[in-house]
Amino acid sequence: METVHQPPGGEDEYLKHRRLKRGAAGWVLLAGLGVAYVISGDFAGWNLGLAQGGWGGLLIAFLLMAVMYTCMVFGLAELSSTLPTAGAGYAFARRALGPLGGFATGMAVLIEYAVAPAAIATFIGGYVEALGLFGLTNSWPVYLVTYVIFIGIHIRGVGEALKIMFAITAVATIALAAAVVGLLPKFDAARLFDIVPDGSAGSSAFLPMGISGILAALVYGIWFFLAVEGVPLAAEETSNPKRDMPRGIIVAVIILVIFGALMLVLVPGAAGSQAMSGSDNPLPEALRIAYGGNTFLADFINYAGLAGLVASFFSIIYAYSRQLFALSRAGYLPRWLSLTGKRRTPYWALIVPGTIGFLLAAITQDGALLINIAVFGATVSYVLLNLSHIVLRKKEPNLERGYRTPGGVVTTSIALVLSAVAVVATFVVDVFAASITAAIFAAALLYYWLYSRHRIVAGAPEEEFAQLAMAEAELK
């Protein structure tokens, strides 16, 4: 049984030191935030899926994950307009599945968001090394500087952070458009199929690793979209969440589907799937291969690609801090992690996961490994988020909703099935990484069961939503 109580010093005193800045974002900034979360996935990481499933396997994986994310985003648009709090996924699952379901969802999201910037940091290092900047032969100083600078900007203030992020994302979007223009004349469909079939069941030029390659490639299909579901984390800092949240997140996923499809076709189509399957900086490398040497455009994409990587790194830091802030404010994690400073930013929630992420990047320096860890957390949270939408529709059909998902529970049921398949895929790609992450997730659930469920804070917004629901149910 969970214990919900008033915090020491009273609810008002407790929440006074745990408040975020209101009205910092409208729907355009939210759409920009959604694109920023993910845009690094267009610059690096997705191409590693070519080594897992070939171009055909990655194409099918991309299409399946595009369907999954689109269906899920429609569900999240409804949930975020109905329960607009900084807890987002945790808050949705808390209302639908109870405290344990809420905590499990929040922790899965936190694993995803704490590890994804570490993976992105390794790709930032790869782009810096490709440019020959600073004479670096080891990228850990790049990881350190990146974390310190961008955590510092976030501590300074959310309004400034979101505007800077939006500007960086605009530069990265221009770079993707420039890459499309540069690669299109060099496209040759035959290059998509230059990976030699390995002889496994169902292998062919289209599926060189056979049917199993599709499942293995799902993790990298996810990388085209990973973290767009973080847009609702900005709910408490949004001008009008009922109106702005659905617009922002739906526009973001449409943009991501378009750019992801273009990169998937044009990059290996110009440089070859084999050459791109292990690249740390696939876009500029594809241009150099296609044009037979270095060009101004390749250098521009290399520098602007850094902007894309930085945009995602920068925005996912925002996401992990808000998820950690909400879990801590409600008492599920140590309460000091949700303290906010004079500028209403949660400084410990920014610093602690950032330190963990830096250590992961510096110790492993393995982007593929870190992607798999992040995707495991993501896919577990997707199962719970889609389930939350379905349960809440059944349990509270008359709940006031600012937006309703097209297709209702059928839409989120499709996403639920695909996300469950994606969880399995993380074990296919790297059973060690997935198993270690699953063990960490299990340890977090044990912490909740033995300790934090007895220390839940009644006044936290997510808990108030849940208590109102229980009170209404009792009255009925």
Side-chain angles (χ1 to χ4, degrees):
M1 185 71 182
E2 290 75 20
T3 306
V4 181
H5 56 75
Q6 295 295 330
E11 183 179 308
D12 290 343
E13 181 65 22
Y14 179 79
L15 293 177
K16 183 173 75 174
H17 302 289
R18 292 165 173 83
R19 288 180 182 143
L20 300 172
K21 186 177 179 180
R22 302 272 178 178
W27 78 266
V28 175
L29 270 182
L30 290 173
L33 179 63
V35 174
Y37 280 143
V38 189
I39 200 167
S40 67
D42 289 321
F43 284 95
W46 64 267
N47 55 298
L48 302 177
L50 295 167
Q52 297 290 335
W55 188 79
L58 185 55
L59 171 66
I60 295 170
F62 170 81
L63 293 173
L64 289 172
M65 293 302 96
V67 170
M68 183 191 78
Y69 273 93
T70 302
C71 290
M72 182 174 70
V73 157
F74 281 127
L76 290 175
E78 177 179 313
L79 290 169
S80 60
S81 70
T82 307
L83 303 168
T85 74
Y90 136 62
F92 309 151
R94 170 69 180 89
R95 179 75 173 251
L97 308 175
L100 177 58
F103 178 77
T105 305
M107 283 307 304
V109 171
L110 197 54
I111 289 170
E112 171 193 356
Y113 289 161
V115 177
I120 295 166
T122 66
F123 298 128
I124 291 173
Y127 268 67
V128 169
E129 286 188 39
L131 288 166
L133 299 176
F134 316 118
L136 289 172
T137 56
N138 190 310
S139 293
W140 75 261
V142 176
Y143 312 155
L144 180 61
V145 170
T146 306
Y147 270 103
V148 168
I149 289 175
F150 294 113
I151 286 175
I153 292 172
H154 276 294
I155 289 174
R156 182 165 176 80
V158 65
E160 294 88 339
L162 287 176
K163 288 168 187 171
I164 292 170
M165 174 278 302
F166 194 84
I168 296 171
T169 305
V171 172
T173 303
I174 292 168
L176 289 178
V180 169
V181 172
L183 293 169
L184 194 57
K186 299 294 183 178
F187 175 79
D188 181 350
R191 296 192 182 102
L192 299 172
F193 311 110
D194 66 354
I195 295 177
V196 178
D198 66 1
S200 57
S203 65
S204 63
F206 182 70
L207 292 173
M209 289 76 176
I211 302 299
S212 62
I214 299 171
L215 189 60
L218 283 179
V219 168
Y220 301 97
I222 287 172
W223 195 244
F224 281 107
F225 307 100
L226 184 85
V228 70
E229 74 279 2
V231 173
L233 289 162
E236 288 187 34
E237 294 151 289
T238 301
S239 306
N240 185 342
K242 286 185 180 293
R243 179 196 66 196
D244 294 338
M245 274 294 162
R247 288 184 186 178
I249 195 169
I250 291 170
V251 168
V253 82
I254 291 170
I255 293 170
L256 293 168
V257 169
I258 293 169
F259 273 123
L262 288 169
M263 294 305 106
L264 175 60
V265 172
L266 293 178
V267 172
S273 292
Q274 182 65 55
M276 293 294 96
S277 64
S279 176
D280 281 339
N281 56 333
L283 271 62
E285 189 172 330
L287 286 162
R288 291 180 182 117
I289 291 172
Y291 286 90
N294 202 22
T295 65
F296 169 79
L297 182 59
D299 280 342
F300 169 72
I301 301 296
N302 212 147
Y303 281 104
L306 278 173
L309 294 167
V310 164
S312 291
F313 181 90
F314 190 50
S315 54
I316 297 175
I317 285 176
Y318 171 86
Y320 76 54
S321 69
R322 270 47 182 183
Q323 187 66 87
L324 181 53
F325 165 82
L327 287 168
S328 168
R329 180 177 62 181
Y332 290 92
L333 293 175
R335 295 175 188 168
W336 57 269
L337 289 167
S338 57
L339 289 170
T340 53
K342 292 180 180 178
R343 293 180 174 271
R344 300 297 182 202
T345 54
Y347 49 92
W348 286 120
L350 286 160
I351 293 169
V352 172
T355 303
I356 294 169
F358 164 69
L359 291 173
L360 284 173
I363 292 169
T364 69
Q365 298 197 19
D366 186 341
L369 170 70
L370 295 170
I371 284 176
N372 207 56
I373 293 172
V375 168
F376 177 86
T379 52
V380 169
S381 75
Y382 298 163
V383 169
L384 294 167
L385 286 170
N386 288 303
L387 186 60
S388 296
H389 177 267
I390 295 165
V391 169
L392 208 56
R393 273 292 188 97
K394 298 293 184 184
K395 191 166 73 171
E396 300 187 58
N398 298 321
L399 184 65
E400 184 182 345
R401 291 166 167 87
Y403 172 87
R404 296 186 73 87
T405 302
V409 297
V410 173
T411 300
T412 41
S413 294
I414 293 169
L416 175 62
V417 171
L418 289 172
S419 58
V421 172
V423 173
V424 175
T426 63
F427 287 91
V428 172
V429 174
D430 189 336
V431 67
F432 175 76
S435 299
I436 291 296
T437 315
I440 293 169
F441 182 64
L445 295 181
L446 190 63
Y447 168 83
Y448 163 81
W449 189 254
L450 296 177
Y451 183 80
S452 68
R453 71 190 179 104
H454 303 298
R455 290 163 175 78
I456 297 172
V457 176
E462 296 82 7
E463 297 306 311
E464 287 187 341
F465 275 131
Q467 288 166 38
L468 284 170
M470 285 189 289
E472 288 170 2
E474 287 173 6
L475 285 172
K476 291 175 183 176

